[in-house]
Amino acid sequence: QVQLVESGGGLVQAGGSLRLSCAASGSIFSINTMGWYRQAPGMQRELVAGITSGGSLNYADSVKGRFTIFRDNAKNTVSLQMNSLKPEDTAVYYCNAEIIRRNYARELYWGQGTQVTVSS
């Protein structure tokens, strides 16, 4: 079994900062891409930021210059530093990882989600 456990959500005022963290554990051989998605009420889940095992980055245009994704391959963790938060960043944030199991199966896993609320 593989688990992704998130932490770090909460309530913050506009202009403030939060850091989200996600740790993968279980039967893991390696991890390809890790990322963060978000889903606001009534909206589709969207990619916020992604990072490959080699360190290539991908950001949604709406968060470029404000959010930074980074990972620790030795610890199987991925984090999202969110600065200059805006009310429109309010959503449930989900960690995502493409994991190679010890039997070499490639599987996609999601965290349970963590609420980020930005007040104006």
Side-chain angles (χ1 to χ4, degrees):
Q1 280 287 7
V2 173
Q3 278 191 316
L4 300 183
V5 178
E6 301 154 351
S7 60
L11 173 65
V12 65
Q13 287 188 330
S17 299
L18 283 174
R19 176 177 290 191
L20 306 181
S21 295
C22 173
S25 62
S27 177
I28 298 171
F29 176 73
S30 65
I31 303 177
N32 288 340
T33 299
M34 302 185 82
W36 290 93
Y37 287 70
R38 67 187 181 187
Q39 188 167 19
M43 304 292 286
Q44 288 190 329
R45 192 172 297 189
E46 63 175 358
L47 174 68
V48 176
I51 181 169
T52 68
S53 57
S56 296
L57 305 174
N58 182 31
Y59 291 99
D61 288 343
S62 60
V63 306
K64 285 180 180 177
R66 300 188 298 122
F67 291 10
T68 303
I69 188 172
F70 52 97
R71 66 188 280 177
D72 184 330
N73 290 330
K75 296 181 179 179
N76 290 336
T77 60
V78 63
S79 298
L80 185 69
Q81 177 65 42
M82 305 185 293
N83 298 329
S84 302
L85 283 160
K86 304 176 181 180
E88 51 263 44
D89 295 319
T90 296
V92 177
Y93 284 69
Y94 296 91
C95 173
N96 163 278
E98 184 185 33
I99 290 174
I100 311 299
R101 302 289 301 277
R102 297 190 187 282
N103 62 0
Y104 303 110
R106 184 172 300 197
E107 299 174 350
L108 192 63
Y109 286 88
W110 293 89
Q112 79 280 7
T114 185
Q115 177 70 45
V116 171
T117 303
V118 184
S119 62
S120 57

